[in-house]
Amino acid sequence: MRVPLSWLREYVDLPAGETGRDVATKLVDAGLEVETVEQLGGGLKGPLVVGRVLTIEELEGFRKPIRFCTVDVGTANGTGEPQEIVCGARNFAVGDKVVVVLPGAVLPGDFAIAARKTYGRTSHGMICSGDELGMGDDGTHGIIVLPPEHEVGTDAIELLQLVDEVLDIDITPDRGYCMSMRGVAREAATAYGLPLRDPALLDVPAPNSYGYPVKIDDPAGCDRFTARTVTGLDPDARSPIWLTRRLQKAGMRPISLAVDITNYVMLELGQPLHAYDRSSIDGTIGVRRAEQGEKFTTLDGVKRTLDAEDLVITDNSGPIGLAGVMGGANTEIADSVTDPGTGQVTGTTDVVIEAAHFDSVSISRTARRLKLSSEASKRFERGVDPQAAAAAAQRTVDLLVLLAGGTAEAGVTQVIAPGAPRTIAMSADHPDRVAGMEYGRETVVRRLQEIGCDVYGQDELVVTVPSWRPDLAEPNDLAEEVIRLEGYGNLPSTLPQVPSGRGLTARQQLHRRVGRALAGSGYVEALSYPFIGEGVFDQLQLPAHDVARQVVKLVNPISDEEPALRTTLLPGLLGALRRNDSRGSHDLALFETGSVFRAADRPGVAVRLPVDRRPTDEEIATLNAALPAQPRYAAVVLAGAREQAGWWGKGRPADWADAVQAARALAVEAGAELAVRQGQYGPWHPGRCAELVVTVDGVEQVIGHAGELHPRVVKAMGLPARTSAMELDLDRLAAAGGEALQAPRISSFPVATQDVALIVDASVPASAVEAALRKGAGELLESLRLFDVFTGEQVGEGKKSLAYALRFRAADRTLTAEESTAARDAAVALAGERTGAVLRGA
């Protein structure tokens, strides 16, 4: 909602020296979200005056039409002589009143005006358009043509209200009443402690039996409908400058007088309105639900297929409006047309004004389903004051009579469904208990009265909620109003007392160590949204029965394309990698640690926790039991160069081995023994996929995978070629480790190194050979490293040679050659027994 400060002052007598930023600070303290304060006319400097076009000479010989004009600007130029100006616009004629900027002036954007020679003539100033003055779109995209009553030489800066401040307020869904000047003015009046001049306090005639006939078939969807008729409008009447400027400052484009007035009243009072051309309406106006598949053409010219839930405005011919969203093209206010022969102007002369109140849920569903968000639907879905409908209709009628010369018919139609004001019972000290500080009954009552509530009672209050606050439904809502008006900044801040000596939990410590280890290895942490669309599982080639496809869906997702909670970290990480690669960063190594969400077989029902006391342990346990399982995962993705080329060498591209090494680094931080085996799963390339295995309580568990992604996955997700990834369950990795990390022992005795080269079948995994060597070498083995893999005629067809470096060391003595050799031979013997390995050269 854009709020011009000059307009706001009409309803609240703000202090004379208050700037837009001062008002914004007050509104923010009251709980509104003021995004920006825009300075209109900043840097604008005159002379900028009203001029009258005296002559127009068409200049020829140029690529585009150019006109040389003389303009009467009175004495504003200091001489009284006509001002000579070159102009390319063609939407004005001799005798028109225009806006002229003279040499010495400065326009928005620090554009200084001076006499200059152009197109063979000297132009002493400019004839201005709205865009050049920072006024916004007026629908003409040309020169501003003023009404003829304005005198030549008048200051156009003041006339066009070019200097102002506009507050841009982000209205949250619970503050629908603030999508109007009336609502924002009420908040400003409360914040400053000043009286409000309510623009809705109008003398409205009582309904009678000779108003325009209206029939409501669905009172649940439309509980209030006001109709008024105005006849004899001048079709050639134009919106005055003050009206168009207020619309422009509020972010709306002027269209025609009747439409401008309905938009103006909507901005003023928050009540959306619609004006129908009376000559186009056939019989009684009705409100009903649409028939399934019914067709209807809206004002934007689009033919739409309606749903049975949609609420429509009808006459005898069928739908004439999509209730609360957009009017129909068949009853649109006709543009004025001038007959070139007679000069007679024709257009809409009689209108029917609709001011109705519709169900917010129904309007929201219709607008979302049709992807047709309008200024009206934004207000209805947030809640509109039903009591304001009659006043809005009266205000519209008054303006049409004043500005278009119309006559208001005596008939007044009001169809109102029975209803009663909403009341809420609340203890007078309830806000005290919620806030944790004492306000007292007098403060509570005063603050509730300031927002429009009627309050009765002593210790137990009965609060009647004002019609414009549909968001106030229970005591906690009323407590929030008291707290925000008293100031969130005044709430006491008390830090919880943490028992000494506890510090971080083991899970938290592991989480930090993992992040430091990956960052130290050159990875950059990327935090992604925990939401996914189910289509990503097809891109990742997950089988139909995969547990990752069992998602928890949100009832009200931020995006309809991502309605589920993630079951894997890879979509978010791969999306970040794709975006960075598309923007020129091709050498990428990203990581993320975070929770994934596993759907339970039987979803639980969450309890509603109290706010006036600490929840009991049973209530917290019940809430936790209803939540989906949330294991913590860790994942990395890599693409491009892992080691940069330079004078030191050629560099190296990232590959599957880097992803596997990242998993090993995490296992070291967890103090767990990680087995790496050949595997095959979902998005990974079948021949370059490692299965990550740990042993928990004597049982082997697969906790993740690492390797190069499948080319089809790379293509489907738009990733760089040869992208690699790793993902594992960090909680299960931690369960496989010890309770505390064991620091490595530093021995003062020398190491004994033994190298072995073993020939095995090509199908035997190197990890299996390594496991056998470790087992056979015994306690003297300090480390084991595969440093060479060789295939060729020398080792035989279907065979491969694996060369390992074994390091032996004892903690209490220097090993003899016989001891290290015996340990090596034992390792080779067990490898031969388990994998069929043969010592090369033996």
Side-chain angles (χ1 to χ4, degrees):
M1 177 70 188
R2 289 173 57 85
V3 179
L5 192 60
S6 59
W7 194 357
L8 184 64
R9 289 183 183 275
E10 282 200 4
Y11 313 119
V12 184
D13 290 326
L14 300 174
E18 288 292 277
T19 66
R21 295 194 178 278
D22 296 332
V23 176
T25 300
K26 287 283 191 179
L27 293 178
V28 169
D29 290 342
L32 293 182
E33 298 181 15
V34 181
E35 297 286 336
T36 59
V37 178
E38 184 179 348
Q39 304 288 332
L40 300 184
L44 177 64
K45 177 184 174 183
L48 186 73
V49 298
V50 175
R52 182 168 64 87
V53 180
L54 300 176
T55 64
I56 297 177
E57 177 187 351
E58 300 287 345
L59 302 183
E60 298 180 354
F62 302 101
R63 286 191 232 175
K64 62 179 182 179
I66 298 296
R67 309 165 98 187
F68 181 70
C69 311
T70 59
V71 184
D72 178 13
V73 294
T75 60
N77 58 4
T79 65
E81 296 295 323
Q83 200 78 1
E84 297 179 340
I85 299 174
V86 176
C87 183
R90 310 193 65 77
N91 67 315
F92 64 96
V94 172
D96 282 346
K97 298 288 182 67
V98 294
V99 177
V100 180
V101 58
L102 302 176
V106 179
L107 295 184
D110 200 24
F111 180 29
I113 303 299
R116 65 188 185 95
K117 191 168 184 179
T118 179
Y119 297 103
R121 303 292 179 95
T122 300
S123 181
H124 298 273
M126 286 174 52
I127 302 176
C128 297
S129 68
D131 288 337
E132 290 165 339
L133 297 179
M135 295 172 57
D137 183 13
D138 62 356
T140 65
H141 301 290
I143 293 303
I144 301 171
V145 179
L146 299 171
E149 63 266 19
H150 297 293
E151 294 184 8
V152 169
T154 301
D155 182 6
I157 295 179
E158 183 177 352
L159 175 67
L160 299 177
Q161 305 171 25
L162 297 179
V163 179
D164 202 350
E165 294 181 275
V166 179
L167 282 65
D168 192 350
I169 304 176
D170 183 15
I171 307 299
T172 53
D174 62 330
R175 296 291 183 84
Y177 68 98
C178 283
M179 294 195 74
S180 66
M181 294 300 303
R182 180 194 185 202
V184 176
R186 178 174 282 107
E187 290 297 314
T190 303
Y192 279 94
L194 296 171
L196 169 70
R197 287 188 291 274
D198 190 346
L201 295 180
L202 301 174
D203 291 330
V204 179
N208 49 55
S209 60
Y210 42 93
Y212 199 93
V214 173
K215 180 183 178 183
I216 308 296
D217 291 333
D218 191 338
C222 176
D223 59 5
R224 187 178 294 259
F225 196 108
T226 300
R228 300 289 300 274
T229 305
V230 181
T231 60
L233 301 179
D234 179 4
D236 197 33
R238 296 290 182 266
S239 299
I241 291 175
W242 65 265
L243 178 58
T244 60
R245 287 298 293 135
R246 285 190 171 179
L247 291 176
Q248 288 173 327
K249 291 176 185 179
M252 301 189 75
R253 181 172 64 87
I255 298 174
S256 64
L257 178 58
V259 176
D260 290 350
I261 287 174
T262 58
N263 286 335
Y264 176 83
V265 175
M266 177 185 68
L267 291 172
E268 184 179 49
L269 301 181
Q271 169 67 53
L273 302 110
H274 189 69
Y276 300 96
D277 187 331
R278 185 178 181 180
S279 64
S280 301
I281 302 177
D282 180 12
T284 300
I285 293 176
V287 182
R288 62 168 171 83
R289 297 289 174 176
E291 298 174 4
Q292 186 66 39
E294 192 171 12
K295 306 293 184 182
F296 173 63
T297 302
T298 47
L299 278 172
D300 55 3
V302 178
K303 191 171 186 178
R304 305 183 185 276
T305 302
L306 304 182
D307 187 84
E309 287 191 355
D310 296 335
L311 202 63
V312 292
I313 313 298
T314 65
D315 63 4
N316 293 340
S317 65
I320 60 173
L322 197 54
V325 180
M326 186 174 286
N330 51 348
T331 57
E332 182 180 7
I333 300 295
D335 293 332
S336 61
V337 178
T338 303
D339 188 303
T342 64
Q344 183 178 0
V345 179
T346 59
T348 297
T349 58
D350 301 340
V351 298
V352 176
I353 305 300
E354 167 207 309
H357 183 261
F358 302 110
D359 175 58
S360 59
V361 175
S362 175
I363 302 306
S364 177
R365 287 176 177 172
T366 297
R368 290 193 179 192
R369 187 182 61 80
L370 296 176
K371 295 180 173 59
L372 188 61
S373 179
S374 64
E375 291 295 331
S377 69
K378 291 176 186 176
R379 286 165 172 80
F380 277 122
E381 63 190 16
R382 287 167 171 80
V384 169
D385 180 7
Q387 301 288 346
Q394 182 63 45
R395 178 72 164 139
T396 305
V397 168
D398 292 343
L399 289 173
L400 284 172
V401 171
L402 175 67
L403 302 177
T407 301
E409 288 195 351
V412 177
T413 302
Q414 276 196 36
V415 181
I416 303 175
R422 288 176 297 113
T423 60
I424 302 173
M426 179 186 74
S427 298
D429 63 348
H430 183 70
D432 301 358
R433 298 200 306 272
V434 172
M437 64 179 296
E438 185 176 349
Y439 293 118
R441 179 188 177 280
E442 290 185 4
T443 299
V444 171
V445 171
R446 174 172 56 83
R447 288 303 190 181
L448 292 179
Q449 289 174 338
E450 285 177 349
I451 65 171
C453 296
D454 290 329
V455 186
Y456 304 95
Q458 293 299 318
D459 294 338
E460 291 294 327
L461 303 179
V462 177
V463 182
T464 302
V465 176
S467 58
W468 58 83
R469 293 300 302 270
D471 58 302
L472 302 181
E474 58 179 46
N476 289 334
D477 298 328
L478 299 178
E480 181 185 1
E481 293 300 300
V482 175
I483 294 168
R484 76 174 179 89
L485 293 177
E486 283 295 303
Y488 290 119
N490 296 323
L491 291 175
S493 178
T494 305
L495 295 177
Q497 297 296 321
V498 180
S500 61
R502 290 190 177 181
L504 299 176
T505 65
R507 192 170 188 253
Q508 292 170 328
Q509 290 175 344
L510 175 61
H511 183 207
R512 292 194 178 187
R513 290 200 305 272
V514 163
R516 285 195 293 264
L518 291 175
S521 299
Y523 291 86
V524 176
E525 186 171 16
L527 301 178
S528 56
Y529 285 114
F531 310 115
I532 58 173
E534 294 181 82
V536 76
F537 299 133
D538 295 329
Q539 294 178 326
L540 293 176
Q541 299 191 131
L542 297 184
H545 61 277
D546 195 284
V547 66
R549 287 183 177 268
Q550 300 174 12
V551 297
V552 178
K553 291 188 176 180
L554 303 176
V555 175
N556 188 22
I558 296 176
S559 169
D560 292 336
E561 296 179 356
E562 295 181 330
L565 293 173
R566 67 187 179 191
T567 55
T568 167
L569 301 180
L570 290 181
L573 267 183
L574 293 174
L577 184 138
R578 179 179 61 249
R579 284 191 299 273
N580 282 275
D581 179 74
S582 68
R583 294 169 184 173
S585 298
H586 304 302
D587 303 326
L588 296 162
L590 308 177
F591 83 92
E592 181 174 8
T593 59
S595 297
V596 299
F597 303 85
R598 300 296 189 189
D601 295 334
R602 299 180 63 183
V605 178
V607 297
R608 192 167 189 175
L609 297 181
V611 297
D612 57 344
R613 59 174 174 82
R614 184 190 184 279
T616 64
D617 294 340
E618 292 76 14
E619 289 172 332
I620 296 175
T622 303
L623 179 63
N624 289 334
L627 298 176
Q630 301 176 45
R632 184 173 292 277
Y633 273 37
V636 304
V637 294
L638 305 98
R642 185 63 176 144
E643 296 176 4
Q644 294 293 332
W647 58 265
W648 52 84
K650 295 182 179 180
R652 180 179 67 82
D655 61 17
W656 63 269
D658 294 300
V660 173
Q661 182 56 36
R664 287 196 170 105
L666 300 191
V668 170
E669 295 300 326
E673 185 175 338
L674 182 71
V676 180
R677 303 173 182 171
Q678 184 175 0
Q680 183 173 347
Y681 176 69
W684 281 277
H685 193 297
R688 298 168 188 163
C689 174
E691 191 176 72
L692 309 175
V693 182
V694 295
T695 301
V696 180
D697 298 331
V699 179
E700 287 191 346
Q701 298 182 11
V702 177
I703 64 167
H705 295 81
E708 183 179 314
L709 296 182
H710 197 288
R712 283 199 292 267
V713 174
V714 169
K715 181 178 180 181
M717 302 192 75
L719 302 172
R722 311 301 290 269
T723 297
S724 298
M726 179 279 295
E727 183 176 39
L728 57 76
D729 188 329
L730 204 54
D731 287 342
R732 286 200 284 172
L733 180 67
E739 293 185 359
L741 286 178
Q742 297 295 322
R745 293 179 298 173
I746 300 176
S747 175
S748 59
F749 297 96
V751 66
T753 303
Q754 296 272 7
D755 293 346
V756 295
L758 303 176
I759 297 176
V760 296
D761 291 338
S763 60
V764 175
S767 60
V769 178
E770 180 178 330
L773 289 173
R774 287 186 182 278
K775 183 71 173 177
E779 296 181 353
L780 294 179
L781 181 67
E782 181 179 82
S783 67
L784 174 67
R785 180 173 60 89
L786 174 67
F787 65 86
D788 185 56
V789 179
F790 176 75
T791 57
E793 296 180 0
Q794 295 90 329
V795 298
E797 185 176 353
K799 301 287 185 179
K800 63 182 176 183
S801 172
L802 304 176
Y804 293 90
L806 292 79
R807 291 167 58 92
F808 299 97
R809 195 190 318 249
D812 57 350
R813 67 189 187 281
T814 299
L815 293 177
T816 64
E818 291 77 10
E819 287 177 309
S820 62
T821 301
R824 181 203 65 180
D825 293 343
V828 172
L830 188 59
E833 179 183 333
R834 291 187 175 183
T835 65
V838 177
L839 196 62
R840 186 173 176 180

